[in-house]
Every structure is written in C-alpha cells, then in structure tokens.
Amino acid sequence: MSKKVKRLRGMYDVTPDRVWVWQKLEAIVTGLLQQYGYQEIRFPLLEKTALFHSAIGEVTDVVEKEMFTFSDRKNVSISLRPEGTASTVRAVLENGLIFNEPQKLWYSGPMFRYEKPQKGRNRQFNQIGVEVFGYPDADADAELLLMTHRMWQLLGIENVRLEINSLGSQDCRAAYRRVLIDYFEQHSDVLDAEAKNRLYTNPMRLLDSKNPAMKAVIQQAPTIQQHLNQESQNHFKQLCTILDSCGVAYEINPRLVRGLDYYSHNVFEWITDELGAQGTLCAGGRYDALVEMQGGKPTPATGFAMGIDRLVELIIDKQLWQPEALTDVYVVWDKQLPVDKVMAICEQLRSDLPKLTLMMHLGTASFKSQFKKADKAGARFTLIFGPDEMEKHLISVKAMQDRNLPQQQLSYQDVVLFLQQQLGT
C-alpha cells in the first residue's frame, strides 16, 4: 500500500463546513471596499527576491528569516510573496497606473512566510490589503481607519481596539535612530543577541521585542514623539481630529512600530485579546518613500493588510455567524425512471430560475436515503419524481423546513411559480 502524502506543515485545507465563513467574510469586505470606491488589482504569487529586499528592508524578520526563496532554472532568485504592498507598488509602476493619477486599490490572496505555525499564524495565510497612492494628507489614512471601523460592525466583531502612532518623516526617523542607538548602547548588558545584531541596522525594531528581560529597558526608552518635526506633528494631529469627529476611539501607543522598513508618519493596528498572542487583525500605515525607492516618482501612499485566517478563527470561535441554507431545492427521483428525463427537467428549472440553488441526487438510492441527503444539504424543498408523477406529468413538492406547508402535486409551470413565491427567485 502506497504511503499517503500529507500537506506541508504550516499549510491548511479549507473544507466545505468552514469555507462558507470565508466566502461570507470576503463578500462583506469586498462589498464595503467597492462602496468606498476602491478597485481590485491582482499580481503574481512569485516575484524576484530583489523586490522584497529593496522594499521591505534587508534587516527585517521577513527578509532575514521568513521568505520562501529559491532559484529558478536560469539561476534567478525568486520568492513567494510574503506580503502585498511591495508587489502592488511594482505593479502600479510597471503598468503606469499612478502617472499623474491617484489610485485606491485592494487585493486579496495567499501570502507565504516560513514561521513557526501556531493558532492564528500559518506559513500560508490569506490577506485582504488596501493601497492608496497620490494622497499626501491624513484624510487618506483616516478613511482607511473609518472603513475598517465600519467593517468590524458589518462582520459583528466586537472588542477590537485601535492603536495609532506616528513614525515621523525620514528625517525624524534618522534623528530618532541615533537617539535609540545611544540609549540602548548604555544598556547593552540587557540586550539579547538578536537585539545586538539589529542595534546599528534597525534600532526601532528593538521596541517591538517580546523578550521579557528587555521589557523594563524598552519601556524607559525615548519615544519618537519627542523627535517629530512640525510637519509630522500636524499630520498626526489631523488624523486624530478626524477620528475624534467621527467617534472612532483610539489609543496612542508610542511603542507601536511596524515590522517593515518602508513605513513613515501614521501607523496603526487593530487588535483583539480574543486570539491570544496573535491578536493583530489589521495593520498598516503610510509609506511615502516606497514608490520612489522602487524607481518611481515621489508618490505619497498609505495602506493596510488584514489577515483573513485570523478573522475566520475569531468568527468561528465566538460563533458569531450561523450557516445559512445552501440548497433551495433537492430533487428526489425513483431509480426506475429514465435519468435523462429527470436531468432535462432540472436543467429547464435552472434556466427558468437562474438564481435557484438546485441539487439533483446522483446515482441510485432509496427514497429514504435521498430524503436524508436532502435534509443534510439544508434544502428548503424537495421535488419528487416517481412513476405516478411522471405518468401524470406532475411534480410532487415537499417543504423540508416549514411543516405547515402541505405536500402537493403541481404542474411544471405551477412549480416554477411556487418556487418564485416561496424563495423570491
């Protein structure tokens, strides 16, 4: 007997009993994005590794430890995409989408990072991301937060808090970088090996360390707010003013830094305590320098990404949604009847009622077995084809959920009218 091949560690299958949650979530989110005027963009799963090195930053967890990278047959280094922003920037530049024209874009699909699998974190994970190009003011950042705030309401997700911070301009970050290096050098005896390795390349990442031995030192570290120039302060103040006016609560977290190098000015995270350590549901911020870094003209930009996997986990764990009936009609038929006649009627029904969800039982089985299948499928009605019905050119209709409706025999045209009235199809 051959050995079974199992899925890779950190990958997963989405089975039919769960996929309906994914479909409903994606429909709600993408519908909201369209209401706000965002357009979908799609790009490859594979990119040249150099794209992520230049966009994300050499000294980041993603580039140093987490990318799925290999060489193709021409010895070109390529990687499965670990996030969507770098690919979006590459795509809009390559296709000329931001030449003197702002863009509001969204994407959806799988990303890949070689991380230790745990609840809410897999090596393949799905994101919906939003990227906005050409809007320099904080109203673009605010719209992203207002939209995600509305999204939680539509999804029925509660107890999500918003944390925001400003990382300032590139000049502010450079000045703050020197301050952090000086500070942490004075506490080098407390730093772990990873922190020492990053101290002179990406000192802001030390503020995000989860090492409890460094917690006190990090809490006493200087904050970037003390080093923001007037422009950065005004930009952050405008964001806060809009959120206040729209009634969106937030916390200013001076230790909030994003894990990728391209962020500047306003950054944010939506966080829940319902998923343990992996509590960030949505995160993003402004990245005004990235387009120019990738060979384009200076272009202000902002965006976010949200993990679909974590949202699905939360919805299922909290039983926020209940499955809806997936089948309107289940066709039960006598095995003595010619299958071609029954299938022809089913196809005619699908043509006459295009929105109808109709399942026909395939193969031979007893009526009892077929009715069990209809019940399991959540069918609202069964259409019964037996010798008596076929002889009279009638169809028996049985309600599976509303027991007050009597079973009845109807002509084909009356079945169509009945289903239109009962199902609104």
Side-chain angles (χ1 to χ4, degrees):
M1 184 176 178
S2 300
K3 185 177 181 180
K4 290 183 179 178
V5 178
K6 296 185 178 181
R7 66 174 180 265
L8 295 170
R9 186 168 185 257
M11 308 296 178
Y12 56 89
D13 306 305
V14 183
T15 51
D17 60 319
R18 295 169 67 96
V19 78
W20 68 271
V21 181
W22 289 72
Q23 292 170 337
K24 181 175 179 178
L25 188 154
E26 289 163 353
I28 291 172
V29 174
T30 57
L32 180 65
L33 291 169
Q34 290 167 1
Q35 288 177 0
Y36 275 77
Y38 288 77
Q39 295 180 299
E40 184 181 7
I41 187 170
R42 301 186 182 191
F43 41 81
L45 293 178
L46 285 171
E47 299 274 11
K48 291 181 179 179
T49 304
L51 171 67
F52 303 115
H53 279 231
S54 61
I56 297 173
E58 297 278 358
V59 191
T60 58
D61 281 346
V62 174
V63 169
E64 287 184 323
K65 305 175 183 179
E66 297 171 359
M67 291 209 303
F68 284 86
T69 298
F70 51 94
S71 297
D72 67 10
R73 293 183 179 182
K74 292 186 177 180
N75 207 32
V76 176
S77 181
I78 56 180
S79 297
L80 288 167
R81 60 190 191 193
E83 56 96 57
T85 299
S87 292
T88 306
V89 171
R90 194 266 315 144
V92 297
L93 287 174
E94 194 165 338
N95 293 282
L97 298 182
I98 52 174
F99 182 71
N100 296 327
E101 183 179 5
Q103 291 285 352
K104 297 166 68 175
L105 305 171
W106 68 269
Y107 59 84
S108 176
M111 310 294 165
F112 303 85
R113 296 186 188 180
Y114 196 86
E115 299 181 284
K116 182 179 179 181
Q118 53 186 293
K119 184 179 176 64
R121 174 176 288 180
N122 294 292
R123 289 175 178 172
Q124 175 178 317
F125 56 97
N126 283 264
Q127 286 187 340
I128 291 179
V130 171
E131 313 293 353
V132 181
F133 300 93
Y135 298 95
D137 296 330
D139 55 354
D141 307 323
E143 182 176 83
L144 298 181
L145 295 175
L146 296 174
M147 185 166 59
T148 45
H149 179 260
R150 186 175 298 276
M151 193 181 299
W152 309 137
Q153 296 174 337
L154 292 174
L155 295 175
I157 295 176
E158 300 177 342
N159 303 319
V160 183
R161 69 180 183 276
L162 172 62
E163 294 186 359
I164 62 175
N165 191 24
S166 174
L167 302 182
S169 64
Q170 296 298 319
D171 290 341
C172 297
R173 287 166 63 94
Y176 183 51
R177 181 179 181 276
R178 290 191 293 270
V179 170
L180 279 182
I181 291 174
D182 291 342
Y183 172 77
F184 283 115
E185 279 181 337
Q186 299 172 28
H187 302 278
S188 59
D189 57 318
V190 185
L191 304 184
D192 57 28
E194 185 175 50
K196 289 178 180 178
N197 182 50
R198 289 183 171 174
L199 178 57
Y200 299 101
T201 54
N202 196 352
M204 289 184 69
R205 296 301 301 144
L206 273 65
L207 300 175
D208 202 33
S209 172
K210 303 298 187 291
N211 185 345
M214 295 172 52
K215 184 176 181 180
V217 172
I218 292 172
Q219 287 179 336
Q220 296 172 21
T223 66
I224 196 169
Q225 276 71 25
Q226 300 164 325
H227 302 275
L228 296 179
N229 58 25
Q230 193 60 49
E231 177 193 2
S232 297
Q233 291 180 41
N234 292 341
H235 202 275
F236 189 61
K237 183 178 179 181
Q238 183 187 20
L239 173 64
C240 295
T241 299
I242 296 172
L243 294 178
D244 290 337
S245 295
C246 294
V248 176
Y250 59 88
E251 302 172 18
I252 298 175
N253 179 0
R255 305 298 176 196
L256 175 61
V257 294
R258 300 295 301 127
L260 309 178
D261 277 0
Y262 50 63
Y263 284 108
S264 61
H265 286 298
N266 304 327
V267 294
F268 60 86
E269 290 187 0
W270 288 97
I271 302 169
T272 178
D273 294 323
E274 308 285 352
L275 288 173
Q278 306 304 321
T280 301
L281 297 178
C282 173
R286 185 161 284 275
Y287 51 93
D288 290 341
L290 183 56
V291 174
E292 186 176 13
M293 287 167 55
Q294 297 304 304
K297 295 181 178 180
T299 304
T302 186
F304 70 74
M306 56 194 299
I308 302 303
D309 312 59
R310 293 183 187 177
L311 291 173
V312 169
E313 289 269 3
L314 186 60
I315 290 166
I316 292 175
D317 285 353
K318 298 298 176 183
Q319 299 181 333
L320 300 182
W321 299 346
Q322 297 302 317
E324 300 172 359
L326 300 178
T327 306
D328 295 325
V329 170
Y330 195 96
V331 172
V332 173
W333 59 287
D334 192 297
K335 62 183 179 181
Q336 299 178 29
L337 300 178
V339 65
D340 58 310
K341 302 296 185 185
V342 178
M343 295 193 86
I345 295 173
C346 290
E347 287 306 299
Q348 188 61 48
L349 276 169
R350 292 185 175 107
S351 297
D352 291 339
L353 299 171
K355 295 182 181 180
L356 181 71
T357 304
L358 181 149
M359 288 181 64
M360 174 183 166
H361 186 88
L362 300 178
T364 58
S366 67
F367 270 18
K368 182 178 180 181
S369 175
Q370 292 184 61
F371 276 112
K372 284 184 177 179
K373 293 285 180 63
D375 194 50
K376 186 175 181 181
R380 293 182 60 183
F381 297 96
T382 53
L383 301 184
I384 305 165
F385 293 83
D388 182 56
E389 285 85 359
M390 292 298 276
E391 184 178 341
K392 296 178 181 178
H393 302 287
L394 298 174
I395 302 170
S396 290
V397 182
K398 180 179 180 179
M400 297 295 290
Q401 297 178 14
D402 185 353
R403 302 303 180 185
N404 293 320
L405 284 174
Q407 182 171 324
Q408 54 189 320
Q409 287 188 339
L410 301 173
S411 68
Y412 176 84
Q413 290 301 329
D414 286 339
V415 168
V416 171
L417 291 173
F418 175 84
L419 293 176
Q420 285 177 328
Q421 294 169 354
Q422 294 294 324
L423 302 173
T425 55

